[in-house]
Amino acid sequence: MQSRQRMFSSAMRLFLRWFRLCPRRGRRRAPRWLRELWSYNRLLLKSLYFNTLTNSDVIMDCLFEPVFWLVDHLTRCLLPLALKTYSPAWIAWHLCYGHWNLVMIVFHYYKATKTSPGHPPQMKCDIPAVSICKKCIIPKPARTHHCGICNTCILKMDHHCPWLNNCVGHFNHRYFFSFCMFMTLGCIYCSISGRNMFIDAYNAIERFKSLDAEKQGVPVTGVGLLIGILPPGSVTGQSYYQTPPPAFTFRDKMFHKSIIYMWVLTSTVALALGGLTLWHAVLISRGETSIERHINSKETQRMKKRGKVFRNPFNYGRLNNWKVFFGIEKRSHWLTRVLLPSGHAPYGDGLTWDYCPRRKDMMAI
């Protein structure tokens, strides 16, 4: 154990010595905040091998020191400000809803990226197929399409999402839609909650602009010494500007601009992503995917020319479509599988589908 500690401490010393001997690139000094951050991290690194009594507890305390520092500053600065600004009930609402929304966003995004959308079997089987994929040369079950980016067939393919770096198919379609829905709710929540802050920041920026536009100081000449404008000891006849200090700092200006940027960003994302979420909600209500929407539109026009009416065989009714999509089998699932994180499998295997009448209840509740 002591030999390992000696090896660790010697390695740390060599690491710091190497940084000291590295030649400096350029002649400009680093900013003060960067030098303070570097000194703080170097102190943390040195504390790891301060003596032979170093153990895992000491190392964990050193690693969590920035977290303790952040919590300490938040409780001393941000918490008193929040208590003065908002009521306890409003603070409780922000804490509960904000953390719930954040957990739902992170969970569904992670599951949407890591869950495979589903692929048809490569081996010969007895599963009914509607066609043969010309690129994969394998049978394609119903609602299966080939993705040119993934270069494979996807079960119940909706589209290939670049933000997920994954296809949206049978097994991760629910995660994708839930991520879009809760992300939209989060952006709307931030826009509504930060509306007053946005107005205050916008007014402050306008006030800063008006102060910048005003003439700073009053030019005076030697006569100023007679009326007391020039300070004592100044040279007579020399021009002088008595300029007051600025009413705001660069930090204040950047703080207000950051609030404006945050509000504009969340509002625009809420509009754009909200439109996409509503469009997918309409498709889910109709029992369609994005690809099937184009196929069914063409099929509807073709059947209309023949005097017939096209019916989507996978449309089980609006409520039943949502039950199938979310995997609702009983009433409590609306809470446990929709409003709470759930990793349950979707309805069916994505290879075979029930061709039921529209009014048939898929899952009796």
Side-chain angles (χ1 to χ4, degrees), residues 230-260:
L230 289 179
S234 60
V235 181
T236 305
Q238 183 180 0
S239 298
Y240 178 77
Y241 283 85
Q242 191 175 11
T243 305
F248 59 91
T249 61
F250 177 76
R251 185 177 181 180
D252 296 335
K253 205 169 185 179
M254 292 306 298
F255 174 75
H256 292 299
K257 286 186 176 181
S258 299
I259 293 177
I260 295 175

Side-chain angles (χ1 to χ4, degrees), residues 198-261:
F198 166 76
I199 295 176
D200 295 339
Y202 183 80
N203 293 333
I205 292 295
E206 292 297 324
R207 187 169 62 254
F208 295 161
K209 290 181 180 179
S210 63
L211 292 176
D212 290 337
E214 292 178 359
K215 193 174 183 180
Q216 300 278 340
V218 179
V220 295
T221 58
V223 184
L225 185 60
L226 299 177
I227 60 177
I229 296 179
L230 289 179
S234 60
V235 181
T236 305
Q238 183 180 0
S239 298
Y240 178 77
Y241 283 85
Q242 191 175 11
T243 305
F248 59 91
T249 61
F250 177 76
R251 185 177 181 180
D252 296 335
K253 205 169 185 179
M254 292 306 298
F255 174 75
H256 292 299
K257 286 186 176 181
S258 299
I259 293 177
I260 295 175
Y261 173 77

Side-chain angles (χ1 to χ4, degrees), residues 76-127:
R76 285 193 302 174
C77 303
L78 187 60
L79 188 59
L81 179 62
L83 291 175
K84 292 180 181 179
T85 307
Y86 303 103
S87 62
W90 192 243
I91 294 175
W93 158 255
H94 278 298
L95 290 175
C96 295
Y97 179 81
H99 285 84
W100 169 76
N101 203 340
L102 179 62
V103 168
M104 297 297 287
I105 291 172
V106 173
F107 172 79
H108 288 101
Y109 180 79
Y110 175 80
K111 296 293 288 184
T113 55
K114 297 299 181 180
T115 303
S116 174
H119 309 283
Q122 302 292 330
M123 304 298 293
K124 185 178 180 180
C125 57
D126 297 332
I127 296 176

Side-chain angles (χ1 to χ4, degrees), residues 2 10 22 52 54 94 123 165 168 173 191-192 200 221 268 306 339:
Q2 293 182 356
S10 60
C22 284
T52 57
T54 302
H94 278 298
M123 304 298 293
N165 193 25
V168 177
H173 194 184
S191 298
I192 296 176
D200 295 339
T221 58
T268 52
R306 297 183 179 183
L339 299 180

Side-chain angles (χ1 to χ4, degrees), residues 3 23 31 70 110 114 175 181 199 208 219 225-226 276 299 316 321 326 350 356 359:
S3 61
L70 180 63
Y110 175 80
K114 297 299 181 180
Y175 297 129
M181 179 176 65
I199 295 176
F208 295 161
L225 185 60
L226 299 177
L276 178 66
E299 198 66 20
Y316 312 121
N321 288 334
F326 283 118
C356 301
R359 296 184 179 179

Side-chain angles (χ1 to χ4, degrees), residues 284-287 314-323 357-360:
I284 294 170
S285 301
R286 296 174 178 175
F314 308 109
N315 186 4
Y316 312 121
R318 293 183 180 180
L319 181 59
N320 287 327
N321 288 334
W322 285 103
K323 292 179 186 178
R358 265 189 89 175
R359 296 184 179 179
K360 183 177 180 180

Side-chain angles (χ1 to χ4, degrees), residues 28-42 251:
R28 296 182 60 184
R29 295 186 63 185
R32 182 178 179 182
W33 65 269
L34 186 60
R35 285 187 277 113
E36 291 178 355
L37 182 62
W38 167 251
S39 301
Y40 180 70
N41 291 327
R42 187 173 61 179
R251 185 177 181 180

